[in-house]
Amino acid sequence: MDTLTVQSLVGSQRADALAAMSAAQLAEERARAMDYYLGNMDEDMPPEDGRSQAVSTDVSDTIEGLLPQLMDIFAGSDEVVVFEPVGPDDEDAAAQETDYVNHVFMQQNSGFMVLYSLLKDALLSKVGIVKVWWDEREEEQQDTFYDLSEDQFALLAQTVAESDGQLEIVEHTAHDGSGNPIKSEATS
């Protein structure tokens, strides 16, 4: 092995060791912050036998006091995200993108609670993490229609025909005026 390879190998091992020490120290600081948040000060002020325990909620009070102000900064307006148009032709597209992204984040993904959890975690444990992913899952839904007129059924059949295979009529039963079936068709 040449000198440069050995230096590189030792340097990467040193960096890994320092990262592990930092992670262990960070985990310890996070555990202590959680104890303080919960009012547990036994490590710093151990209770004496026969005496009351000291409880301080300063950390909890501070975090809970900061959260409304931070939430107002990040989610206090109707638009959490704003897309700026690049040119005059982009104004409509930018407005539509802004509306869509805000709807997806705030309505479909409960953005207020995501931001609240992120900020509380950041204040309490020195890091706030949000996991984001795209889930492409097909969901199948079955609807049943009763007492459709001929025109209503024809409109439904036309919609199915125009759906490019996305929709399907599984079963159709026509009835006479008294409720007795005239014909029944099933497809699979």
Side-chain angles (χ1 to χ4, degrees), residues 42-53:
D42 291 346
E43 188 174 322
D44 295 323
M45 298 178 66
E48 295 180 26
D49 291 335
R51 296 227 157 178
S52 65
Q53 293 183 358

Side-chain angles (χ1 to χ4, degrees), residues 145 148-163 167 169:
F145 300 97
L148 294 179
S149 68
E150 291 293 325
D151 291 338
Q152 290 171 326
F153 180 73
L155 183 60
L156 180 62
Q158 180 183 356
T159 303
V160 169
E162 294 172 353
S163 72
L167 300 175
I169 296 177

Side-chain angles (χ1 to χ4, degrees), residues 71-141:
M71 287 303 295
D72 189 40
I73 292 169
F74 289 101
S77 70
D78 292 337
E79 297 175 334
V80 177
V81 176
V82 176
F83 287 84
E84 296 291 333
V86 176
D89 296 340
D90 298 333
E91 290 176 5
D92 291 338
Q96 187 176 17
E97 291 163 353
T98 298
D99 291 343
Y100 177 73
V101 169
N102 282 298
H103 172 75
V104 168
F105 180 68
M106 293 302 283
Q107 305 300 319
Q108 293 180 346
N109 293 297
S110 51
F112 185 86
M113 290 308 298
V114 169
L115 286 173
Y116 184 86
S117 298
L118 168 76
L119 293 172
K120 189 167 185 174
D121 287 347
L123 291 170
L124 184 57
S125 60
K126 298 185 178 187
V127 67
I129 298 173
V130 174
K131 181 178 179 180
V132 180
W133 71 94
W134 185 277
D135 187 10
E136 289 191 27
R137 164 180 25 180
E138 290 187 24
E139 294 183 18
E140 191 172 300
Q141 177 180 336

